[in-house]
Amino acid sequence: MMLRLRVSFPDRPGALGKVARVLGTLGADILQVTVLERETGRAVDDFVVSWPGSPDTAAVRDRLSAVPGIRVEGVWPTREVPGAAPDYDLLRHVATDPSRAFATLVDAVPDLVGAEWAVALSSDGDGLVHRSWQAPPSLDEGGGIAGVKLADLASLRPATLASGSHQLMSLPVPAARIHLVLARTTGPSFHRAEVDRAGRVVELVSLIAGL
């Protein structure tokens, strides 16, 4: 099983090694480490690990949190393929068929930032424009997300918010007159590094689509 762990720890020599040792004693194989931030004496990293069988996420949290200075911000399943370049693949597909640029973006962008699904909402208030196949079927019928109407998820600038069990990211795409909303129900809130990455991809898709 593949898991993604978000861990905060002191930004000093040896701290990353402590995280790696704990994961090793639990039987995890670290496949990829992504640095999200290095600020105010602390680091936040995402680890993609391969786990034998079905891991006890509570035990993972407990073992890591028992190490002084280490905080576990999230443990959740991932479809991420370490070493792959899904953003390049996305841009290649968009360049091949620019007429489907934003449908392709909605279908592929969740895997770029550890989201579960995405939708494109019309900025003109016409509702749902496109949804990834993982999105809840209720959205097709005008249903909101955890009690929040889709129209209320639109934002003037990139933003993150929580709605019930959902962690959401909202990205305006003015050139296409849509808002992109990404969601996950497991894991922590979207980090600003994830918002920045998704935002850059949106800008490139807009350029390729000629908007």
Side-chain angles (χ1 to χ4, degrees):
M1 183 176 182
M2 300 271 286
L3 286 181
R4 189 170 173 182
L5 297 89
R6 181 161 299 168
V7 183
S8 170
F9 50 88
D11 188 12
R12 57 174 179 258
L16 180 59
K18 291 179 180 179
V19 176
R21 281 194 294 274
V22 172
L23 292 174
T25 61
L26 291 169
D29 183 14
I30 299 175
L31 304 178
Q32 181 171 287
V33 180
T34 302
V35 178
L36 297 179
E37 67 177 73
R38 290 279 192 277
E39 293 181 358
T40 63
R42 292 193 68 82
V44 178
D45 289 0
D46 272 5
F47 296 80
V48 175
V49 302
S50 175
W51 219 287
S54 298
D56 183 343
T57 56
V60 175
R61 286 178 174 273
D62 290 344
R63 290 285 294 275
L64 283 170
S65 299
V67 179
I70 292 179
R71 295 199 303 263
V72 180
E73 298 185 2
V75 181
W76 69 105
T78 181
R79 299 188 300 269
E80 187 172 355
V81 179
D87 39 3
Y88 296 153
D89 291 337
L90 164 59
L91 296 174
R92 177 173 58 82
H93 286 299
V94 169
T96 300
D97 187 359
S99 66
R100 296 196 71 257
F102 291 98
T104 300
L105 174 67
V106 172
D107 291 338
V109 75
D111 287 340
L112 301 187
V113 292
E116 296 172 22
W117 52 266
V119 294
L121 309 175
S122 170
S123 298
D124 299 326
D126 296 332
L128 192 66
V129 175
H130 187 73
R131 60 189 291 277
S132 65
W133 68 269
Q134 306 98 329
S138 61
L139 297 179
D140 293 323
E141 301 169 0
I145 300 173
V148 178
K149 295 180 180 179
L150 291 179
D152 294 335
L153 297 175
S155 58
L156 296 177
R157 56 181 56 87
T160 62
L161 62 153
S163 178
S165 61
H166 292 75
Q167 298 293 337
L168 305 171
M169 180 195 304
S170 179
L171 297 171
V173 191
R177 303 184 67 82
I178 63 172
H179 280 81
L180 189 66
V181 177
L182 296 84
R184 61 183 173 217
T185 56
T186 57
S189 60
F190 289 99
H191 192 274
R192 65 177 179 274
E194 294 174 306
V195 178
D196 289 345
R197 182 182 185 187
R200 288 195 298 270
V201 169
V202 167
E203 291 176 2
L204 289 171
V205 168
S206 298
L207 289 172
I208 295 172
L211 299 178

